[in-house]
């Protein structure tokens, strides 16, 4: 199902032109217009899901299979040194377009990008408490 007010729905379904790297009945992979690195692309489902939580399990599995295929092809063709898959959920996590999408970010030695976090140092008791909360 499409959302008529969603720009990524319009791009994924070909209503707005894009630099398409791949397309099938479920997805379109496009080059990002504000790339972190050379070749930065997005996997867009053609159906609208606001985030990971709304994504059906079958679609999530297909996204990862497509990500592997694209990352392999892009690594070979772009001769990059590494690869990030990034997927944000919610504004606080960096999501700016509320249509599920997976970033494919080729990484190059000295590309200047910092995709990561500052590691915490929880105690074993804190880790145990968190584990018990989740499971």
């Amino acid at each position: 199902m499409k959302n008529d007010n969603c720009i990524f729905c319009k791009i994924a379904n070909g209503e707005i032109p894009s630099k398409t790297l791949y397309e099938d009945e479920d997805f379109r992979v496009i080059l990002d217009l504000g790339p972190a690195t050379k070749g930065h692309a997005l996997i867009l489902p053609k159906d609208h899901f606001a985030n990971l939580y709304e994504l059906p399990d079958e679609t999530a599995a297909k996204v990862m299979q497509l990500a592997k295929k694209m990352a392999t092809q892009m690594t070979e063709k772009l001769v990059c040194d590494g690869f990030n898959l990034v997927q944000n959920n919610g504004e606080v996590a960096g999501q700016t377009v509320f249509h599920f999408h997976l970033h494919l970010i080729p990484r190059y030695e000295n590309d200047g990008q910092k995709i990561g976090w500052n590691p915490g140092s929880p105690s074993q008791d804190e880790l145990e408490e968190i584990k018990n909360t989740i499971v």
Side-chain angles (χ1 to χ4, degrees), residues 5 7 10 16 23 38 61 82 94 98 110 114 131:
N5 296 317
I7 191 164
K10 292 176 182 179
I16 295 175
E23 181 180 13
K38 176 182 156 188
F98 294 88
N110 301 313
K114 302 280 186 233
K131 179 193 79 134

Side-chain angles (χ1 to χ4, degrees), residues 36-119:
T37 64
K38 176 182 156 188
H40 179 170
L42 305 174
I43 296 178
L44 305 175
K46 291 185 176 181
D47 287 333
H48 184 81
F49 308 102
N51 51 44
L52 179 67
Y53 312 115
E54 292 184 5
L55 201 65
D57 291 347
E58 181 180 326
T59 304
K62 287 180 180 179
V63 166
M64 287 308 294
Q65 291 168 347
L66 180 54
K68 179 182 177 189
K69 174 183 177 173
M70 293 303 303
T72 300
Q73 179 179 345
M74 293 167 73
T75 298
E76 177 187 324
K77 300 290 184 175
L78 296 172
V79 194
C80 57
D81 302 306
F83 218 93
N84 287 115
L85 300 178
V86 176
Q87 203 282 309
N88 304 314
N89 295 282
E91 191 173 340
V92 71
Q95 187 177 11
T96 57
V97 179
F98 294 88
H99 176 113
F100 174 91
H101 55 287
L102 181 65
H103 293 262
L104 305 171
I105 306 174
R107 297 304 303 273
Y108 306 90
E109 195 70 39
N110 301 313
D111 63 18
Q113 290 299 329
K114 302 280 186 233
I115 300 172
W117 53 88
N118 295 322

Side-chain angles (χ1 to χ4, degrees), residues 8-9 11 17 25 36-37 81 127:
F8 277 6
C9 280
I11 294 169
E25 63 186 24
T37 64
D81 302 306
L127 291 173

Side-chain angles (χ1 to χ4, degrees), residues 2 7 29 34 56 89 109 113 116 125 133-134:
K2 242 176 37 173
I7 191 164
V29 180
N89 295 282
E109 195 70 39
Q113 290 299 329
D125 288 342
T133 300
I134 294 171

